[in-house]
Structure formats: C-alpha cells, structure tokens
C-alpha cells in the first residue's frame, strides 16, 4: 500500500471515529443532507452537491473562498489559514473577527470542522479530491475551479453557490470602472511603464517574479503596465505564471518599479538579499522604487485583493512622487 492510500485510509478512520464520538456526545445533531426541495444541485470541480438554499453556517477551507464570501456580505463560521504567505486578516480586519480557524489549507482539522457543525463547506483550491468524500460526510461540500489570473470566474461560481449572482456582477462592474480609470491615469502620467511583480517565498526563501498569467501580474497588466523585456522573454505559455530566480539572477527583477511581497517566513531572507552587491546594483534599488507589499493579497485572492492591489498602484505610482 503506497503512502497516499495509507493516508486516505487513516483520514477515513479518523473521520469515522470523530463523527461517532461527536454524535454520541451530541445526540440531537441533525443530518446535514437537505431534502431535495430545500436545496439546489450544483455541479463543481469535484462532483455534484445539493446546496442548502439559505446556508447559515458556512466553512471555507482556503482564504480565496473566505475573501469571496466576505465580499458578498457573508461571514463564514470557520476558515483555514495559508501555509506560507500572509493571511487575509490585514485585508479583511473586523469583517472576520470571531471566525474560528480549522488549521491550514491542506492540513484541515476534521474534528474542528465537525464541532463547528457547518451546513455548507466551500473551497476554491483547498480540497484534495481524495479528501472530498470525507468533508462531504460532514456537510454539503463544493469546490469551484481555481485560475491564476482569472479570479472573476471562481467569484462568479461562488456567487452561484450562495445565491449572490447579482451582487457579484455589481462588484465586478464597479471594479472594471475603477481599473479603467486608473489605467487612463497611469497612461497620462507615464505613457509606458515597466514594473516587476515579485515575491520572496516563505517556504523556499527564494525570489520569484510573476507574469501576466498570475493573479497579481494579471491585475497589473490589465491597467496597462508591462513586464520588462528581459522577463517577457522567459514567459513561454500561460503555465509560466511565475519564474523562480536564483541569487545570481536578481538582475531580472530590475524595472521602473518593483512591487515585492515578502512572506512572513521570508523576512530574514529578504534582508539578506538586500545586503548583496547584486541587489545594490539594480537601478530600481538605486532609484528607490522598491515597494514592499502585503503577501496576503499580492499572491492570491479575489475581488477585495484585486482592489487592494489597485490601491497600492495608486498609492505608489500615482500619489507618490517617487516614480
């Protein structure tokens, strides 16, 4: 038996034991499966799920789903945290006050999920297919498809799941009007501007830069900002949404401006990079146009993160006198 099958078997055994113990301690716990007349059948990445018409106790197992629900004026009762990059806490603030944490994405505490007694579990990328049956035994579970640069599609799919389609389109219309205005302002001020979108990874402790096929790179590209030519030539397909760099290739980060998201676990690594002679030779460093930004919304996200990135572009490129 390989390790994946063993891991899956242990998860099933754990869920059976935890469910039995919890239901024994809570004999009045009702079955989460709603009658057909009280739910809607939703097709999604992992199957078909009959979703409650008006879910009251939603758990999200990744923070993109958390952000999407908060944007739709819904407050989940539980969420998972990121493994490496910043959480959405700085972005969402009081909107997620009191939410319970159920572990980290990919490392969900099933007992905690069961104790929260959810009536719906929602995900964008946080559920492995082999774990879907386990969570489905606790509550109706839906996972929408995750795209790197196309964050609008999963937002629309989540809107369908929670019956907030009109709210989604309202938010997207407002966003489109905003980025078009910012695009015009940037063009009027700079004409042409080349910007690097980078991150220091909290796990590997190495720098990378993001292409137009990534979440942050796609947003920056949409407002008319280009990648430097020396970066563009390394992008061969939409699968190249980020390029990992070695210390010897820090020169690839050079541009008119550099937005760099530093994961919590990579702060010391970034400080060491800044001390290297190669870093000091970058024109973007000499010109003091390096902007350290929050990895909680500059790596992955939904509409609130997209708007926060626009805020940073306005703050550092349009409002600041540094560029």
């Amino acid at each position: 038996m390989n390790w994946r099958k063993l891991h899956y078997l242990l998860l099933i055994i754990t869920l059976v034991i935890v469910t039995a113990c919890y239901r024994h301690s809570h004999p009045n716990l009702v079955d989460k499966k709603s009658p057909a007349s009280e739910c809607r059948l939703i097709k999604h990445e992992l199957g078909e799920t009959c979703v409650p018409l008006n879910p009251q106790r939603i758990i999200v197992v990744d923070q993109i789903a958390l952000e999407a629900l908060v944007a739709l004026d819904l407050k989940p009762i539980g969420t998972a945290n990121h493994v490496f990059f910043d959480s959405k806490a700085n972005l969402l603030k009081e909107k997620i006050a009191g939410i319970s944490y159920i572990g980290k994405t990919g490392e969900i505490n099933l007992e905690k999920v069961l104790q929260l007694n959810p009536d719906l579990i929602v995900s964008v990328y946080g559920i492995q297919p082999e774990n879907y049956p386990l969570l489905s035994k606790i509550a109706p579970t839906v996972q929408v498809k995750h795209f790197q640069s196309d964050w609008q599609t999963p937002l629309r799919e989540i809107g369908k799941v929670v019956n907030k389609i009109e709210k989604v389109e309202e938010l997207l219309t407002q966003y489109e009007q905003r980025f078009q205005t910012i695009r015009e302002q940037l063009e009027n001020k700079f004409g042409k501007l080349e910007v690097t979108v980078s991150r220091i990874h909290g796990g590997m402790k190495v720098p990378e830069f993001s292409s137009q096929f990534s979440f942050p790179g796609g947003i920056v590209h949409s407002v008319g900002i280009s990648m430097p030519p020396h970066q563009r030539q390394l992008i061969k397909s939409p699968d190249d949404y980020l390029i990992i760099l070695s210390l010897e290739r820090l020169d690839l980060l050079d541009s008119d401006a550099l937005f760099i998201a530093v994961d919590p676990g990579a702060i010391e690594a970034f400080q060491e990079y800044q001390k290297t002679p190669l870093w000091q030779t970058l024109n973007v460093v000499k010109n003091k146009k390096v902007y350290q930004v929050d990895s909680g919304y500059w790596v992955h996200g939904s509409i609130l993160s997209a708007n926060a990135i626009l805020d940073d572009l306005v703050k550092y490129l349009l409002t600041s006198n540094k560029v």
Side-chain angles (χ1 to χ4, degrees):
M1 179 180 294
N2 62 37
W3 71 269
R4 284 186 175 276
K5 289 183 179 179
L6 178 60
H7 176 67
Y8 184 57
L9 180 60
L10 290 174
L11 282 173
I12 293 176
I13 294 172
T14 299
L15 181 61
V16 170
I17 294 173
V18 169
T19 303
C21 292
Y22 187 74
R23 290 185 182 278
H24 178 74
S25 302
H26 299 75
N28 294 324
L29 183 65
V30 298
D31 192 340
K32 308 291 190 311
K33 294 181 179 179
S34 302
S37 60
E38 298 178 4
C39 64
R40 296 175 296 114
L41 190 63
I42 298 290
K43 293 183 178 181
H44 55 94
E45 279 297 286
L46 299 177
E48 293 184 349
T49 299
C50 204
V51 174
L53 298 181
N54 186 30
Q56 300 296 310
R57 301 182 60 79
I58 305 174
I59 282 180
V60 291
V61 298
D62 60 70
Q63 294 217 331
I64 296 180
L66 169 65
E67 179 186 329
L69 286 182
V70 170
L72 297 176
D73 300 323
L74 295 171
K75 184 176 180 179
I77 60 171
T79 186
N81 225 331
H82 289 311
V83 176
F84 293 119
F85 44 93
D86 276 330
S87 74
K88 299 291 183 183
N90 291 336
L91 176 67
L92 304 181
K93 298 179 180 177
E94 69 278 355
K95 294 179 181 179
I96 59 171
I99 290 181
S100 298
Y101 284 89
I102 57 173
K104 294 183 178 181
T105 300
E107 302 172 5
I108 302 300
N109 185 324
L110 292 174
E111 183 175 7
K112 183 66 175 178
V113 173
L114 191 61
Q115 289 172 348
L116 288 174
N117 191 22
D119 54 15
L120 179 63
I121 299 173
V122 178
S123 170
V124 174
Y125 67 92
I127 301 175
Q128 296 298 322
E130 62 267 23
N131 295 338
Y132 172 68
L134 302 176
L135 291 171
S136 294
K137 289 181 180 297
I138 297 175
T141 301
V142 174
Q143 176 156 288
V144 304
K145 189 171 184 178
H146 177 229
F147 299 90
Q148 280 294 330
S149 61
D150 179 15
W151 52 269
Q152 295 94 333
T153 294
L155 177 62
R156 284 189 168 103
E157 291 302 309
I158 288 177
K160 292 178 184 177
V161 172
V162 296
N163 202 22
K164 291 271 190 175
I165 298 174
E166 290 184 2
K167 178 66 175 179
V168 169
E169 295 307 321
E170 176 186 339
L171 292 173
L172 289 177
T173 298
Q174 293 171 353
Y175 174 81
E176 183 173 355
Q177 292 171 344
R178 187 178 183 217
F179 92 71
Q180 290 289 0
T181 298
I182 294 172
R183 182 184 178 110
E184 292 174 5
Q185 292 172 338
L186 287 168
E187 184 176 355
N188 290 336
K189 182 173 182 178
F190 299 107
K192 182 180 180 182
L193 184 66
E194 294 175 349
V195 167
T196 295
V197 178
S198 181
R199 172 193 180 195
I200 308 294
H201 194 283
M204 296 181 288
K205 308 293 192 298
V206 295
E208 59 191 38
F209 71 82
S210 300
S211 76
Q212 71 271 28
F213 301 115
S214 69
F215 171 70
I219 294 168
V220 172
H221 180 75
S222 73
V223 295
I225 297 175
S226 300
M227 297 172 61
H230 53 270
Q231 292 178 10
R232 290 200 300 269
Q233 67 184 5
L234 297 178
I235 307 302
K236 307 300 182 183
S237 75
D239 292 331
D240 297 328
Y241 58 89
L242 64 83
I243 301 294
I244 298 174
L245 303 177
S246 64
L247 176 61
E248 292 75 21
R249 294 314 313 269
L250 283 178
D251 60 294
L252 288 170
L253 297 180
D254 217 353
S255 56
D256 294 328
L258 167 60
F259 288 87
I260 186 162
V262 182
D263 290 346
I267 295 174
E268 291 184 7
F270 181 50
Q271 292 171 345
E272 292 301 315
Y273 282 125
Q274 291 175 298
K275 296 176 184 177
T276 62
L278 186 53
W279 176 269
Q280 297 299 328
T281 64
L282 299 180
N283 290 322
V284 72
V285 174
K286 292 178 181 179
N287 295 331
K288 298 182 180 180
K289 297 174 184 176
V290 178
Y291 309 112
Q292 185 173 339
V293 290
D294 191 335
S295 74
Y297 58 84
W298 268 87
V299 178
H300 291 293
S302 188
I303 190 161
L304 300 181
S305 290
N307 272 302
I309 290 175
L310 292 184
D311 289 341
D312 283 347
L313 295 179
V314 170
K315 175 181 177 181
Y316 294 113
L317 300 181
L318 292 174
T319 305
S320 173
N321 293 320
K322 290 184 178 181
V323 178

